[in-house]
């Protein structure tokens, strides 16, 4: 009688190792994904008529980056969002690269919707600083430098206010910079464009209904469900306003994570973004 061969147990660790490696690769791909995304936030206000809506597209922190042929990926998405107004909230130009990418974007979005702009710190540092504001106005952009412009959008009264980045006026604090906005029209829906979001507690005291900002680059590194941002300029480590929608007093704050990308300093779980803010009535 021939004895049966003992059963040889197959070693399964190579398959497990392969699955683990695949999972890590997928996780790394998701973490380092740098494709352009659109994020949408909704803000409700009793100042708008019931059923009314205003669609605001926010672009910030381009830093002169170029997306595809003549900025087509940005322009196409902006057009698809059907904005009633476009808000450019600073650092659209960089001090280390040509402003040509920014110029092309302005050319391509001209005429899509009324467009408003405030400066960031990198515009101030740019060697072509004196040509930046004329470039924006050439393409029909309203540059806000301490003033308010009132418009009617979809039958609703909307006021856009804007501040130059404080690097332009280092000898003045926000108490001086905000003086033009001490007596806001209480009937209009008031939007403040400020490149930096960190003074939001001060902004809220002036009665702005909505503040639109950038500057943070999303805190550079995010961990979904655990960490919204690791580090942001002027806010430091674990910034409280790294990106997203916040409510501070009577003001809603939307912080865009911005359009910039740098292969030498990758964003983690933090892809470049276009923001749509839907302001709706009660």
């Amino acid at each position: 009688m021939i004895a049966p061969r003992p059963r040889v147990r197959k070693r399964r660790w190579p398959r497990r190792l392969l699955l683990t490696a695949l999972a890590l690769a997928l996780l790394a791909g998701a973490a380092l994904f740098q494709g352009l995304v659109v994020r949408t936030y909704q803000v409700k206000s009793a100042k708008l008529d019931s059923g009314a809506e205003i669609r605001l597209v926010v672009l910030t922190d381009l830093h002169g980056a170029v997306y595809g042929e003549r900025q087509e990926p940005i322009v196409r998405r902006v057009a698809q969002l059907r904005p009633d107004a476009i808000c450019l909230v600073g650092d659209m130009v960089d001090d280390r690269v040509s402003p040509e990418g920014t110029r092309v974007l302005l050319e391509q979005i001209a005429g899509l919707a009324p467009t408003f702009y405030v400066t960031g710190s990198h515009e101030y540092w740019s060697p072509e600083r004196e040509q930046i504001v004329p470039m924006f106005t050439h393409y029909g952009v309203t540059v806000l430098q301490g003033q308010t412009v009132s418009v009617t959008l979809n039958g609703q009264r909307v006021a856009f206010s804007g501040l130059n980045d404080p690097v332009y006026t280092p000898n003045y604090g926000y108490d001086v910079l905000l003086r033009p906005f001490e007596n806001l029209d209480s009937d209009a829906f008031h939007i403040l464009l400020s490149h930096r979001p960190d003074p939001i507690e001060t902004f809220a005291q002036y009665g702005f209904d909505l503040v639109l900002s950038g500057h943070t680059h999303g805190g550079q590194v995010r961990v979904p469900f655990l960490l919204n941002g690791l580090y942001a300029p002027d806010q430091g480590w674990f910034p409280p306003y790294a990106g997203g929608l916040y409510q501070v007093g009577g003001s809603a704050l939307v912080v865009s994570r911005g359009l910039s990308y740098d292969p030498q300093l990758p964003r983690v779980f933090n892809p470049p973004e276009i923001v749509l803010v839907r302001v709706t009535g009660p």
Side-chain angles (χ1 to χ4, degrees):
M1 183 176 179
I2 301 175
R5 292 182 178 180
R7 297 180 63 182
V8 178
R9 187 174 182 180
K10 294 182 179 180
R11 300 177 66 185
R12 295 184 177 273
W13 65 266
R15 171 188 267 183
R16 292 174 182 168
L17 183 62
L18 179 62
L19 291 175
T20 300
L22 179 60
L24 290 175
L26 291 173
L27 183 64
L32 299 177
F33 174 68
Q34 300 296 293
L36 191 59
V37 302
V38 174
R39 283 193 173 89
T40 300
Y41 305 104
Q42 183 175 9
V43 174
K44 291 187 176 182
S45 174
K47 291 185 177 180
L48 270 65
D49 297 336
S50 178
E53 179 181 64
I54 299 170
R55 299 170 67 87
L56 307 171
V57 164
V58 182
L59 305 177
T60 187
D61 295 283
L62 178 69
H63 289 277
V66 175
Y67 282 80
E69 182 70 21
R70 299 188 64 75
Q71 305 287 28
E72 187 274 339
I74 300 177
V75 177
R76 172 167 45 82
R77 285 172 172 82
V78 171
Q80 290 172 343
L81 293 173
R82 298 176 290 107
D84 298 304
I86 300 172
C87 302
L88 312 175
V89 290
D91 280 1
M92 298 298 289
V93 176
D94 195 79
D95 55 311
R96 297 168 296 175
V97 301
S98 167
E100 179 62 14
T102 306
R103 187 200 67 77
V104 170
L105 178 62
L106 296 175
E107 179 184 59
Q108 295 300 305
I109 66 174
L112 289 180
T115 302
F116 302 89
Y117 164 69
V118 292
T119 58
S121 53
H122 284 265
E123 281 94 346
Y124 178 82
W125 296 327
S126 170
E128 301 185 48
R129 181 174 67 192
E130 300 302 323
Q131 287 75 49
I132 291 174
V133 167
M135 177 178 70
F136 279 80
T137 57
H138 174 77
Y139 290 103
V141 176
T142 299
V143 180
L144 299 171
Q145 298 176 299
Q147 66 265 73
T148 297
V149 174
S150 296
V151 298
T152 300
L153 301 176
N154 294 341
Q156 311 302 305
R157 293 180 58 194
V158 182
F160 290 88
S161 302
L163 291 172
N164 262 341
D165 190 84
V167 72
Y168 282 80
T169 52
N171 295 324
Y172 299 102
Y174 280 102
D175 58 332
V176 175
L177 298 178
L178 291 167
R179 281 178 186 170
F181 313 122
E182 288 180 341
N183 297 296
L184 299 178
D185 180 358
S186 59
D187 293 329
F189 183 83
H190 276 273
I191 301 170
L192 175 67
L193 276 61
S194 168
H195 181 59
R196 307 183 190 216
D198 41 289
I200 180 58
E201 286 83 3
T202 299
F203 296 156
Q205 296 173 16
Y206 284 76
F208 294 107
D209 300 294
L210 173 63
V211 179
L212 302 175
S213 297
H215 191 51
T216 66
H217 295 203
Q220 199 66 35
V221 174
R222 300 177 64 238
V223 180
F225 309 110
L226 294 177
L227 179 66
N228 192 40
L230 180 63
Y231 181 86
D234 300 303
Q235 296 184 61
W237 297 101
F238 312 113
Y241 307 113
L245 172 62
Y246 307 87
Q247 189 68 40
V248 180
S251 298
L253 167 67
V254 171
V255 182
S256 169
R257 297 178 174 92
L259 293 161
S260 68
Y261 61 91
D262 184 349
Q264 297 180 351
L265 186 63
R267 298 161 60 129
V268 179
F269 287 115
N270 183 30
E273 69 178 23
I274 294 170
V275 164
L276 172 66
V277 182
R278 297 176 56 239
V279 184
T280 59

